[in-house]
């Protein structure tokens, strides 16, 4: 049966750890040795309804390095943009390609796509979740701390798609996660409730300092995600006090790292001093998108077993 990656919860805990280990291994292999033909003759269709730099480039380069091909499609340029159904698009693309990556708005769209596609579907970001990014972030944590499970992770800011995927990561891997969100900007309630049944060490608080205290990882993201641009001004008011700055970093563990999925707005959700400072790992995170993408593609499209 085909597998999809719509959220981190599509992976069991051993599978998630194996995927992260494989990404670390792929990163250490030089000159694409041993994996340059893994996806020879295979094609990944990439459909984007929103802008992208990292997701687009890392999947494209990953397919190339694995010996396959990536097909870039902006939704407005294909018939989806003129109203062709996601169901028909899924069936048609499945006749041509070996995997589909979609970046879209409503999460239900990718669930529909996966239901009607006969090839694996990968979530390249929805309003609900951004699993490939958080897997790259977990790889970055693994590189810095050698283990993920004992970490205390803090999320500061919007309870958005990234926050939801961190919650699902904590559910699967069992680490402690505290999210500081302003009232009205909490994470997706069903995602949080389901995760709490697996891992009670997930908390939502209102005070960023409380979340940051003693944390090994300080995470944030933009205050207005793609599609929320019209809310920028009201969000700037709601998120005042939720900036990751030097004072907040001082609350964290001395060896804490700072993560941000990028793109970032220096002077808004994070100061330049933090994102460009010694504790920041944001460009390792961005690089790790390439390595985790290869591990994901090998697994879903190349038949490589994780466990
Ligand atoms: N972090 C991330 O997904 O970046 P892009 O929007 O550039 O793909
Ligand atoms: N939360 C952000 C992440 C961008 C990679 C957004 O959805 O726009």
């Amino acid at each position: 049966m085909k597998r999809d990656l719509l959220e981190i919860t599509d992976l069991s805990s051993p599978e998630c750890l194996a995927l992260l280990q494989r990404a670390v291994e792929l990163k250490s292999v030089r000159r694409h040795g041993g994996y340059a033909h893994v996806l020879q003759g295979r094609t990944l269709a990439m459909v984007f309804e929103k802008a992208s730099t990292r997701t687009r480039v890392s999947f494209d380069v990953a397919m190339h390095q694995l010996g396959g091909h990536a097909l870039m499609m902006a939704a407005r340029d294909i018939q989806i943009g003129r109203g062709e159904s996601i169901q028909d698009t899924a069936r048609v693309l499945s006749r041509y390609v070996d995997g589909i990556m979609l970046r879209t708005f409503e999460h239900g769209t990718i669930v529909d796509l996966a239901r009607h596609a006969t090839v694996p579907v990968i979530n390249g970001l929805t309003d609900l979740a951004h699993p490939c990014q958080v897997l790259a972030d977990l790889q970055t944590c693994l590189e810095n701390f050698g283990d993920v499970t004992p970490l205390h992770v803090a999320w500061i800011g919007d309870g958005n798609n990234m926050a939801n995927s961190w919650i699902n990561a904590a559910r699967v891997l069992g680490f402690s996660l505290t999210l500081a969100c302003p009232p009205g900007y909490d994470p997706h309630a069903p995602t949080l409730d389901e995760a709490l049944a697996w891992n009670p060490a997930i908390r939502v608080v209102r005070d960023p300092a409380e979340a940051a205290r003693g944390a090994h990882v300080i995470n944030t993201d933009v205050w207005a995600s793609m599609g929320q641009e019209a809310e920028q001004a009201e969000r700037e008011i709601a998120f005042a006090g939720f900036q990751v700055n030097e004072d907040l970093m001082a609350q964290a563990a001395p060896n804490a790292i700072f993560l941000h999925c990028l793109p970032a707005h220096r002077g808004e959700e994070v100061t330049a001093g933090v994102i460009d400072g010694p504790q920041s790992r944001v460009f390792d995170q961005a690089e790790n998108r390439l390595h985790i993408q290869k591990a994901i593609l090998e697994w879903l499209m190349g038949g490589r077993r994780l466990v």
Side-chain angles (χ1 to χ4, degrees), residues 2-6 10 99-102 110-111 113-115 117 119-123 300:
K2 70 144 180 157
R3 298 277 300 269
D4 302 302
L5 181 59
L6 305 191
D10 289 331
I100 305 169
M101 197 232 66
L102 173 65
I110 200 163
V111 172
L113 179 75
R115 191 173 299 137
V119 297
V121 171
I122 301 169
N123 182 355
L300 289 178

Side-chain angles (χ1 to χ4, degrees), residues 99-213:
I100 305 169
M101 197 232 66
L102 173 65
R103 168 167 287 195
T104 189
F105 292 85
E106 281 183 28
H107 193 75
T109 306
I110 200 163
V111 172
D112 256 7
L113 179 75
R115 191 173 299 137
H116 292 92
T118 55
V119 297
V121 171
I122 301 169
N123 182 355
L125 182 147
T126 64
D127 289 346
L128 185 70
H130 197 5
C132 297
Q133 177 68 55
V134 172
L135 287 166
D137 302 353
L138 292 167
Q139 181 189 343
T140 311
C141 293
L142 199 60
E143 288 169 351
N144 278 271
F145 298 103
D147 197 356
V148 174
T149 313
L151 296 181
H152 172 57
V153 177
W155 177 268
I156 312 292
D158 193 14
N160 63 12
N161 42 13
M162 284 292 300
N164 294 330
S165 286
W166 270 103
I167 289 170
N168 279 331
R171 164 177 159 176
V172 170
L173 296 179
F175 56 83
S176 131
L177 174 67
T178 306
L179 305 103
C181 309
Y185 296 94
D186 283 344
H188 184 240
T191 299
L192 179 62
D193 289 346
E194 284 172 36
L196 281 169
W198 294 79
N199 178 359
I202 305 173
R203 293 187 310 143
V204 178
V205 300
R206 298 286 173 233
D207 178 10
E210 186 183 344
R213 205 162 297 133

Side-chain angles (χ1 to χ4, degrees), residues 3 8 10-22 135 149 171-174 198 299 305-307:
R3 298 277 300 269
I8 292 180
D10 289 331
L11 293 157
S12 68
S13 171
E15 284 178 335
C16 187
L17 290 171
L19 192 74
L20 298 176
Q21 290 294 354
R22 180 60 179 158
L135 287 166
T149 313
R171 164 177 159 176
V172 170
L173 296 179
W198 294 79
W299 162 52
R305 288 182 63 89
L306 291 176
V307 289

Side-chain angles (χ1 to χ4, degrees), residues 263-287:
H265 297 116
R266 287 167 175 77
E268 276 183 41
E269 75 273 9
V270 60
T271 58
V274 170
I275 196 167
D276 298 318
Q279 289 170 286
S280 175
R281 297 291 180 275
V282 299
F283 298 109
D284 292 340
Q285 274 179 276
E287 177 186 338

Side-chain angles (χ1 to χ4, degrees), residues 50 54-55 103 125-127 130 133 155 158 160-162 221-222 224-229 261-263 289:
K50 295 176 178 175
R54 281 144 288 268
T55 305
R103 168 167 287 195
L125 182 147
T126 64
D127 289 346
H130 197 5
Q133 177 68 55
W155 177 268
D158 193 14
N160 63 12
N161 42 13
M162 284 292 300
D221 190 8
V222 290
S225 285
M226 288 182 277
Q228 298 171 335
E229 289 78 4
C261 65
L262 305 178
R289 294 295 304 275

